[in-house]
Structure formats: C-alpha cells, structure tokens
Amino acid sequence: MNYLLIKHVHVTAVTLSILLFALRSYWSVIDSDKLRNKAVRILPHIIDTILLVAGVTLAAVIGPEQPWILAKIVGLLFYIGVGTIAIKRGKTPKSRAIAAIIAIAIFAYIIGIALSHSPLSWFA
C-alpha cells in the first residue's frame, strides 16, 4: 500500500469535495435549477465515497487511536449535518447561506486538524 498515493487521492478528493460543496451551496441559495442536474446530484456521492475510503485507509495505516483522527471524524459528522441544511434542508435562502458558511468553517477546522495533527486545529 503506497501511503503517499492514498494521501494524494484523499487530498484531491477533499479539494474536489469542498469546491463542489461551495458551488452547490451557492446554487441552493439562489434557487438554481442546476442543483437538479443528474451529474450534480451523483458526483458528490462518488467524490465523497473516494474521500471516505481513502481517509479510512489512511487512518488504518496511521493507527485510528490518534485523538486528532477522532476529532476529524466528529468534525465530519457536524459538517455533513450542517451541509445538508445548506443544500437541502434550509427553509430560506438566508438559512442555507448561513449553514453554508458554518459548514465551510467546520471544513476549515477539519483541514487544520489534518495539518497540525491536533484536535486544536489552527489553534495548536
């Protein structure tokens, strides 16, 4: 198993995931019909599955008992919950926009954890 290759796949999927999330959030806020496009509905699931498989593989290689990995998982759960409000469940454009900003902040926190290997993220 090539650690650097898996890490590269993971980082690439992270980048694609957040870019697509930001675009979909924007479309959600402006009530664009582009959100109904079949590729727009399917592609995030493919990218996020690749992201998750690569992340789990990396965690297995590193050792999942690392506190920072647990912090990333908890952050991911919050990101997913808030992200669904930003794209689907928010009742108004304003609530979807606020949820999108919060989700992106959570995503930034997760990136900080990944870079610092600390649950304190950017504050370490």
Side-chain angles (χ1 to χ4, degrees):
M1 177 176 333
N2 186 334
Y3 175 83
L4 289 179
L5 176 62
I6 296 166
K7 184 176 178 182
H8 179 71
V9 168
H10 183 68
V11 170
T12 300
V14 165
T15 303
L16 292 172
S17 182
I18 192 62
L19 290 173
L20 191 54
F21 173 78
L23 182 60
R24 290 169 58 224
S25 295
Y26 171 72
W27 287 340
S28 178
V29 169
I30 65 168
D31 290 320
S32 173
D33 288 337
K34 293 177 183 175
L35 274 176
R36 293 173 208 34
N37 181 296
K38 188 173 184 177
V40 172
R41 289 192 332 251
I42 294 171
L43 190 58
H45 297 293
I46 295 168
I47 292 169
D48 291 343
T49 299
I50 293 167
L51 175 89
L52 186 59
V53 169
V56 168
T57 304
L58 288 172
V61 170
I62 294 168
E65 66 279 348
Q66 303 293 325
W68 63 274
I69 292 176
L70 178 59
K72 280 182 69 175
I73 293 168
V74 171
L76 177 63
L77 294 174
F78 279 103
Y79 169 74
I80 291 168
V82 176
T84 62
I85 296 168
I87 294 176
K88 292 180 187 176
R89 296 183 183 2
K91 304 259 189 258
T92 65
K94 182 178 178 181
S95 66
R96 292 191 299 270
I98 291 168
I101 291 166
I102 292 169
I104 290 170
I106 293 168
F107 196 92
Y109 168 75
I110 296 169
I111 297 297
I113 293 170
L115 295 174
S116 68
H117 291 188
S118 169
L120 295 176
S121 186
W122 301 102
F123 307 105

